[in-house]
Amino acid sequence: MKPITGTTGTRILALGAYQPSRVVTNHELAQSLDTSDEWIRSRVGIVSRRIAGPDETVADMAVAAGGKALAASGLSPEDIELVIVATCTPESTIPNVAAQVAYRLGTGVPGAYDLNAGCAGFCYGLATASDAIRAGSARQVLVIGAEKLSAWVDWTDRNTCVLFGDGAGAAVVGPVTGPDDRSGIGPVVWGSAGEHAERIRIPDRRSLITQDGSRVYWWATTELPAVATQACRAAGLAPHDLVAFVPHQANLRIIEAIARKIGAPQAIVADDIIEAGNTSAASIPLALSRLVDSGRVPPGGPALLLGFGAGLSFAAQVVAIP
Ligand SMILES: CC(C)(COP(=O)(O)OP(=O)(O)OC[C@H]1O[C@@H](n2cnc3c(N)ncnc32)[C@H](O)[C@@H]1OP(=O)(O)O)[C@@H](O)C(=O)NCCC(=O)NCCS
């Protein structure tokens, strides 16, 4: 068994993002719920979120984001040998989303599978894509995080429905072959805390999402800073080397608390949650895309990704900004 000749590492070649056109503000929610813009902004940081149309599917959004990433990469669809869709809100469990997305993007007959690691799904997908390339199982991989949480929330439950949004983000991952080129995707630090599995749940197909928000908040702010610093160390960096920190967008207060604890004052901290809400596995590629599009982060600069959520599962790695 031989890896692809000359592969010294992997990197994100290009990104793509898609959000539905419908913007739902806190004020709109407050018209039908016992909530307020003030409560949502101060406790979570969200001002508005995007909500998919009734007929818009997870696959539709994944195709839109994946198509943009593919176009930006300059590759042709046939160059993609593996498609991974991280999602926990597919309309169907069979067929999987990834095979439909691969077909609709015209990618020939790549390997295709869905991955459910909750809100950490994109980081898991990126890690497994990178490992597949290094092992020689695929040369270019399309990794997509796509979610339609709006179909899985109780729109009368203020504890949950104000938190979530819909969307998709994608990355084309490929090999680094030059002898001097450093790898653009660092080792993943991942894990799970199954003893807290009940804290975020959609237990069966008739259920809607529930979570023990304050316990998850405590877990995230207590346990994850060490995971983040470990991912920096695994990449041979210190937090003060980072140009950006792109954590899962679950709560702006969680994001700020972790950023403070890891100590990277110079890093730009992604705050996509303000206008996107919590889009689960889509949140990190959406936030990363927005940062790159803003021109505020230098290409090649190291950015720390940190996914966490249902499972409870987590995964972190340092990537080079494409
Ligand atoms: C969900 C979360 C925003 C709730 O914030 P919180 O400060 O913990 O709030 P609590 O759940 O303790 O609720 C406090 C009060 O606010 C109320 N409340 C909840 N949602 C509300 C809303 N949208 N508007 C107004 N009041 C609300 C509750 O009913 C409760 O009222 P009570 O004290 O009268 O019972 C927060 O816990 C969180 O972000 N947790 C982490 C979520 C996460 O990271 N998940 C992983 C990824 S999916």
Side-chain angles (χ1 to χ4, degrees):
M1 299 286 282
K2 273 199 318 181
I4 294 170
T5 310
T7 301
T8 56
T10 55
R11 67 190 174 97
I12 297 176
L13 303 176
L15 295 163
Y18 172 80
Q19 290 179 286
S21 56
R22 178 151 185 250
V23 177
V24 175
T25 63
N26 295 341
H27 293 292
E28 184 179 340
L29 292 176
Q31 285 168 17
S32 55
L33 274 176
D34 182 15
T35 189
S36 66
D37 177 57
E38 199 282 328
W39 192 96
I40 301 169
R41 274 184 202 239
S42 61
R43 298 281 184 123
V44 201
I46 299 171
V47 171
S48 61
R49 69 287 291 145
R50 302 295 186 99
I51 299 297
D55 298 327
E56 198 167 26
T57 65
V58 170
D60 292 337
M61 293 188 278
V63 167
K68 286 185 191 170
L70 206 47
S73 74
L75 296 171
S76 77
E78 296 79 28
D79 293 325
I80 299 297
E81 296 177 355
L82 176 62
V83 176
I84 302 171
V85 176
T87 184
C88 54
T89 53
E91 286 79 15
S92 62
T93 46
I94 298 174
N96 69 18
V97 178
Q100 301 170 61
V101 171
Y103 173 71
R104 287 172 58 183
L105 288 174
T107 54
V109 287
Y113 64 89
D114 291 359
L115 183 164
N116 181 354
C119 306
F122 181 78
C123 292
Y124 273 76
L126 204 54
T128 50
S130 179
D131 290 351
I133 294 168
R134 285 169 182 270
S137 310
R139 194 164 175 86
Q140 275 91 215
V141 183
L142 180 59
V143 184
I144 305 174
E147 303 280 13
K148 187 174 177 178
L149 267 307
S150 63
W152 296 91
V153 298
D154 176 351
W155 284 98
T156 64
D157 176 13
R158 68 179 184 174
N159 290 292
T160 50
C161 75
V162 305
L163 304 174
F164 297 103
D166 302 329
V172 175
V173 182
V176 166
T177 48
D180 302 325
D181 257 341
R182 296 180 56 179
S183 186
I185 299 180
V188 70
V189 174
W190 53 14
S192 57
E195 70 274 23
H196 299 305
E198 303 295 307
R199 305 252 183 254
I200 307 173
R201 301 180 78 211
I202 305 176
D204 58 53
R205 70 182 70 179
R206 290 172 303 281
S207 299
L208 299 170
I209 194 165
T210 56
Q211 71 169 340
D212 183 345
S214 53
R215 295 301 295 265
V216 177
Y217 189 106
W218 177 85
W219 170 78
T221 52
T222 309
E223 301 293 328
L224 298 181
V227 173
T229 47
Q230 212 183 325
C232 291
R233 213 174 309 124
L237 300 170
H240 61 71
D241 296 319
L242 298 171
V243 301
F245 175 41
V246 188
H248 170 50
Q249 306 284 298
N251 182 320
L252 200 53
R253 288 162 58 208
I254 294 180
I255 293 169
E256 289 166 352
I258 297 177
R260 240 185 345 264
K261 285 188 180 177
I262 63 178
Q266 76 302 332
I268 293 179
V269 179
D271 57 4
D272 206 44
I273 186 169
I274 296 170
E275 291 180 358
N278 177 349
T279 57
S280 191
S283 88
I284 288 177
L286 275 174
L288 186 59
S289 289
R290 188 191 291 254
L291 261 192
V292 170
D293 290 349
S294 74
R296 293 164 68 211
V297 285
L304 172 64
L305 313 184
L306 171 64
F308 59 92
L312 301 178
S313 301
F314 56 88
Q317 67 263 93
V318 175
V319 302
I321 300 280

